[in-house]
Amino acid sequence: MPRMARVVLPHMPHHVVQRGHNRKVVFAEDEDYERYLEDLRELSSALDIRVYAYCLMTNHVHLLLGPGEEVAAMGRLMKALAARATRYRNRLEGRSGTLWEGRYKSSPVQTETYLLACTRYIELNPVRAQMAPAAGAYPWSSYRQRMGEAECWIDLDPAYRELADDNAERRVRYARFVEQGVPEQELSLMREALQRGQLTGNQRFVDEVEQIIGCRVERRRPGRPPSRQT
């Protein structure tokens, strides 16, 4: 069966995941994580791509990216990130071959309904994997930047900004939102959207995207919008 064409839309957030080849470790030492984040910061700026959130796990990465007008730039970013990490790891280990799976997975995210939930999903990844007791205890995600505990170079997305008018209150409300955890239905929705290359959003969002791209998008089971209680 031919694989579904990737849907990438300008000025819209996309949840992106890339895994290590055969799920092997791609980040073993602190320097591995640091190099990838330096490359992400440099390349995203050069390619006019917003980085709303990220989480680097030992054998995969989660990114929440917003391409500009040139949607092909997102593919170039992922290719360049993978190539740099592969060259570094191969040189370090005296080996050759690929470090990553051939094709990253991505899903456009509906801003007003699921964007904040997607950020939470990404930044709680280490907690779900039992690698950290709380989001703030894990150094390789965007959570600390968002909370003002590290230099902030990520872009603050519209849904996060709408939580409050000032940074302090915004952080308090987002921290409460994260403490609620990710409901099982929300977990299933986001995992399925990524795995199947579908949209993370409701039926209205699907209809809007179909109008934009001029063709049908495969349907999936509808999901309930996440709560934003603070």
Side-chain angles (χ1 to χ4, degrees), residues 2 8 64-65 78 81 182 213:
V8 182
L64 189 55
L65 304 176
M78 297 308 298
L81 285 170
V182 183
I213 65 177

Side-chain angles (χ1 to χ4, degrees), residues 8 10-11 38-51 63 65-82 84 104 155:
V8 182
H11 310 293
E38 288 173 4
D39 289 339
L40 175 61
R41 184 176 184 178
E42 173 197 335
L43 292 167
S44 63
S45 177
L47 292 168
D48 189 30
I49 294 176
R50 289 175 172 80
V51 179
L63 305 173
L65 304 176
E69 193 63 33
E70 188 181 1
V71 295
M74 194 171 84
R76 291 202 296 273
L77 171 67
M78 297 308 298
K79 183 177 180 179
L81 285 170
R84 288 190 181 189
Y104 66 87
D155 299 277

Side-chain angles (χ1 to χ4, degrees), residues 12-15 64 107-118 159 199-206 208-209 220 223 225-226 228:
M12 185 174 291
H14 294 69
H15 184 187
L64 189 55
S107 171
V109 181
Q110 185 175 21
T111 299
E112 66 271 23
T113 308
Y114 287 103
L115 183 54
L116 198 67
C118 190
L199 309 179
T200 305
N202 58 27
Q203 186 59 50
R204 179 172 59 82
F205 181 58
V206 173
E208 290 172 353
V209 170
R220 58 165 167 72
R228 292 197 188 182

Side-chain angles (χ1 to χ4, degrees), residues 4-220:
M4 180 179 174
R6 194 191 311 279
V7 178
V8 182
L9 301 167
H11 310 293
M12 185 174 291
H14 294 69
H15 184 187
V16 177
V17 171
Q18 185 153 36
R19 299 187 181 278
H21 184 60
N22 290 330
R23 300 190 179 236
K24 292 182 179 178
V25 168
V26 292
F27 303 109
E29 306 291 341
D30 286 358
E31 186 179 0
D32 302 343
Y33 295 93
E34 290 164 356
R35 278 176 170 266
Y36 189 94
L37 290 177
E38 288 173 4
D39 289 339
L40 175 61
R41 184 176 184 178
E42 173 197 335
L43 292 167
S44 63
S45 177
L47 292 168
D48 189 30
I49 294 176
R50 289 175 172 80
V51 179
Y52 294 130
Y54 65 82
C55 185
L56 312 187
M57 304 293 281
T58 53
N59 65 0
H60 68 283
V61 302
H62 281 265
L63 305 173
L64 189 55
L65 304 176
E69 193 63 33
E70 188 181 1
V71 295
M74 194 171 84
R76 291 202 296 273
L77 171 67
M78 297 308 298
K79 183 177 180 179
L81 285 170
R84 288 190 181 189
T86 298
R87 286 196 299 269
Y88 166 70
R89 175 59 58 189
N90 286 352
R91 185 168 60 249
L92 199 66
E93 298 181 354
R95 47 160 280 180
S96 62
T98 183
L99 184 64
W100 305 89
E101 284 184 348
R103 192 174 193 243
Y104 66 87
K105 299 182 184 298
S106 67
S107 171
V109 181
Q110 185 175 21
T111 299
E112 66 271 23
T113 308
Y114 287 103
L115 183 54
L116 198 67
C118 190
T119 300
R120 175 173 68 178
Y121 173 93
I122 290 171
E123 294 180 346
L124 277 176
N125 221 356
V127 179
R128 289 194 299 276
Q130 299 183 336
M131 296 173 65
Y138 191 73
W140 309 117
S141 86
S142 48
Y143 185 84
R144 288 185 175 182
Q145 290 192 44
R146 200 177 307 281
M147 292 294 106
E149 298 169 1
E151 178 194 1
C152 185
W153 54 263
I154 61 170
D155 299 277
L156 302 181
D157 66 75
Y160 177 75
R161 288 183 180 275
E162 287 179 3
L163 288 175
D165 293 331
D166 66 274
N167 275 334
E169 181 62 22
R170 199 179 288 139
R171 287 166 181 161
V172 168
R173 294 187 179 188
Y174 181 70
R176 290 174 183 166
F177 182 65
V178 170
E179 286 170 4
Q180 295 174 11
V182 183
E184 189 61 37
Q185 184 184 32
E186 195 174 295
L187 274 174
S188 299
L189 182 149
M190 296 193 185
R191 286 171 175 166
E192 183 178 347
L194 273 173
Q195 184 63 33
R196 297 169 65 87
Q198 297 176 337
L199 309 179
T200 305
N202 58 27
Q203 186 59 50
R204 179 172 59 82
F205 181 58
V206 173
D207 294 340
E208 290 172 353
V209 170
E210 286 182 344
Q211 285 188 340
I212 292 171
I213 65 177
C215 64
R216 290 178 59 84
V217 177
E218 184 181 0
R219 299 299 203 276
R220 58 165 167 72

